[in-house]
Amino acid sequence: MRAFVFPGQGSQKVGMGAELADNSAIARATFEEVDDALSQNLSTIMRDGPEGELTLTENAQPAIMANAIATLRVLESEFGVSLTDAGDCVAGHSLGEYTALCAVGAFSLAETALLLKLRGQAMQEAVPVGEGAMCALLGADLEKAEELARAAAEGQVCEIANDNDPSQVVLSGHAAAIERAVALVKDHGIKRGIPLPVSAPFHCSLMQPAADRMAEALSDTPPQELALPLYANVTAAATDDPREEQDLLVQQVTGRVRWRESVLAMRAAGVEHFVELGGKVLGPMIGRIDKDAQATSAITMEDLEALAKEIG
């Protein structure tokens, strides 16, 4: 069995998608479609920057999605590999869940771009700049991270945002609580705590205003039928029910990204090969979660050509 997976925020970089666009009319058309949907030259920001503009949450989220869908469309159109024929399920890390839904036909490309633009804006506006923060814990399992979060909270929000792999957990919450968490890592047997360069505390209860806005947006643009099952971030379980997925996308804004558990659930279901499109972030994580899992990451034409041969 094979899963197609899609990266989340942090995988953006200036120049993303340029090589695909230079070599593929399909990729260029994909980026133009997103530009038209957003009434914005997002593809220019992706190609040329400035980096600060691309890193803005409201730009980074649709940009990462556009790059991944362009990669998928090139794979399908130019290398003859159909996601629905070659894959058995899909998943995405945080915003990547929207990309996965686009890939299986639950949202159109234009709908996905608009939803992610709004999601980025809503998450940015939910908490005043400087009041929230996030940190990555290296050498931390879930139990140690939970103990640290409880100790650092002191009446404020300090919650697990991402359970990425056995060696990396991310905390999110009030800035002062996250500072305390970083200072306390050694006391909890954790190797390092690294403050993350993010503009808002994603995936914690402080994001409730953003969840409310997404609930409204998703009621106007609900997901349609999924061509393949999707493993959702907040449950680490498969669903092919659009109504259930609509609710899970709302929960996802404040909920934990259970990526480690999602990969283990896909492995338990029989997935042997994970294909990451549009990034090279999830592949290494998957390798740390299960060293026996096969993971391939593709972002260039050369990568896609090799992937097509690998899939056969």
Side-chain angles (χ1 to χ4, degrees), residues 124 127-132 199:
Q124 185 60 66
V127 179
V129 173
E131 288 191 14
S199 53

Side-chain angles (χ1 to χ4, degrees), residues 130 133-135 152 156 158 173-185 195:
M134 300 177 75
C135 69
Q156 292 185 310
C158 187
H174 285 107
I178 297 300
E179 284 177 22
R180 287 192 292 270
V182 170
L184 290 169
V185 289

